[in-house]
Amino acid sequence: MLLHFFSQHLWLIVAGGGAGVAGRYLQLYIRHTHNLILPDPTVDLFRFYQLHGYNAHALIGIDTGTRVWTCTETEGAVAYNEFGKVWLVSGDPLTSVENLAKVSDRFLRKARAEGRAVGFIPATEQFAKQSSGLGLRAIKIGSAPYFNLATWAPRGDRAKKARAGVNQARRAGVRVSEVINVDERLIREAACLCKSWLATRRSAIRFEWLFTVDLFQHKEKKKYFTARDANGKLVGFLAASPIPARDGWYLEDVLRSRHAPNGTTDLLVVEVLDSLKHSGAKLATLGTALMAAEGVADPDIHVSSVLSRATWFVARCCSIFYNFDGVRRFKAKFAPSWWESEYVLISQNVTAPPRVLSACLHAIVPAGPSYLIARQVSRAWRRMTNTKEKAIALKNRITEYKGNES
């Protein structure tokens, strides 16, 4: 490379730049060239994901800022983010079932050697069964509903609310279709719909990390579905991510407009599940319902009772920011075939739980809990003020009407 540099840039010295300037230029040139040839770490992650993606959140964990650790002894990789001295892994290691324990063990050794605590969130039951042997503590954080697409049908009392919603939406003229081409028009429509949907959420801000809403990230791997009203206006949107190792799909983002006809999301979910079934998929999931108690406790998973109680206490305190029960009820009304428990797996050392908790808060709310609380209080005050103003305006209209009557 040096010979190539001097042959191409000898003019710099001859023109009077001098050896010092040439040296600095050489440093910049090498640095720039080095940056250009650095491999993209997500390339390997996508390969491992396509081969071994078992956790529904595996695709979400692949982002431009994601760090990658690759096992040198067998085929496997771990995608993680670093927050302080904590490594947060969004899901399970990307490897086969046979190599899961080995790859996880090597990753944990690497973390201990660098003085890092590790948190896997959310971990599947398959991975949580390895927790004791790996020296990890398991905490149940909720459950995910799964649908066996070969046999699932929204019948019986369990699904009567979903059926009622579907019928309402169909009578209102709502139609669901799969997106064939993601164009600029759809992206603009979806952005407006997303903004409308976020305005109805309990929290006053957008969450990040696993909770972020990025509809078109990795769009080439996803399926998209739209719900449009009788006038053709976009009133619902659903993005589904593949779960390659399970021949399934994760219904990742389910959005509806504030002005959508009743039952729009019910129709969207039911129609998408039916479409996935006809495309040959074996299963689908609506993702984690945090703090949901559903799901059979596997005897091979030793859950920490102390940490579980502490987690549920923290969740109750955070219920003003996130509607845990509402999300669970929404997912349950589609009569899933079964529920799978999901976990946080953390290192055994005493300081790991508070460090992992702090890292999770920083990942989800980068501005900090105090900012979240301040925004929530401000939002509540605006709502209260608006309600008071509407009440005063209504009272004035009634007084004016009575005056005119007299």
Side-chain angles (χ1 to χ4, degrees), residues 151-311:
T151 59
W152 175 80
R155 302 191 183 98
D157 287 342
R158 287 199 308 151
K160 63 182 180 181
K161 290 184 178 180
R163 289 199 310 274
V166 167
N167 293 334
Q168 279 184 299
R170 283 177 176 162
R171 284 195 298 268
V174 178
R175 294 292 179 265
V176 175
S177 60
E178 183 174 355
V179 175
I180 305 302
N181 178 41
V182 177
D183 55 20
E184 290 300 320
R185 177 174 175 267
L186 177 64
I187 291 174
R188 288 195 300 270
E189 285 183 305
C192 293
L193 178 67
C194 186
K195 184 178 179 180
S196 171
W197 177 80
L198 286 170
T200 67
R201 300 301 89 193
R202 178 172 293 189
S203 174
I205 67 168
R206 293 191 183 196
F207 293 127
E208 300 295 332
W209 199 45
L210 294 180
F211 292 87
T212 191
V213 180
D214 191 350
L215 300 177
F216 298 105
Q217 183 186 34
H218 311 314
K219 65 179 184 293
E220 69 283 354
K221 299 185 180 299
K222 295 181 179 181
K223 286 179 179 284
Y224 295 104
F225 300 83
T226 59
R228 295 185 181 275
D229 63 16
N231 298 317
K233 183 179 179 181
L234 186 68
V235 292
F237 189 88
L238 191 150
S241 302
I243 312 174
R246 305 186 73 171
D247 195 9
W249 290 85
Y250 168 30
L251 278 56
E252 180 182 340
D253 297 307
V254 185
L255 314 181
R256 87 183 272 277
S257 166
R258 284 186 292 180
H259 308 295
N262 291 337
T264 295
T265 49
D266 300 329
L267 178 63
L268 194 53
V269 170
V270 170
E271 291 278 354
V272 169
L273 290 175
D274 189 59
S275 175
L276 294 174
K277 173 183 177 179
H278 285 93
S279 69
K282 292 182 179 178
L283 60 81
T285 180
L286 283 167
T288 312
L290 292 172
M291 300 299 111
E294 286 84 352
V296 178
D298 193 300
D300 293 331
I301 302 173
H302 301 289
V303 177
S304 170
S305 57
V306 174
L307 291 178
S308 294
R309 285 196 296 270
T311 301

Side-chain angles (χ1 to χ4, degrees), residues 55-131:
N55 192 304
H57 300 85
L59 186 60
I60 303 174
I62 302 176
D63 201 354
T64 52
T66 302
R67 300 189 177 208
V68 184
W69 173 86
T70 305
C71 186
T72 57
E73 300 176 29
T74 186
E75 185 173 75
V78 177
Y80 67 97
N81 295 89
E82 185 169 29
F83 299 93
K85 292 191 175 183
V86 176
W87 288 351
L88 288 184
V89 182
S90 53
D92 304 3
L94 295 170
T95 186
S96 64
V97 179
E98 297 75 21
N99 293 327
L100 185 57
K102 185 174 184 178
V103 170
S104 304
D105 177 67
R106 299 302 183 273
F107 176 71
L108 290 169
R109 289 187 185 183
K110 169 74 172 176
R112 285 194 295 270
E114 297 193 17
R116 300 295 190 267
V118 177
F120 297 89
I121 175 172
T124 61
E125 286 186 336
Q126 175 178 275
F127 182 34
K129 290 178 183 179
Q130 309 281 348
S131 58

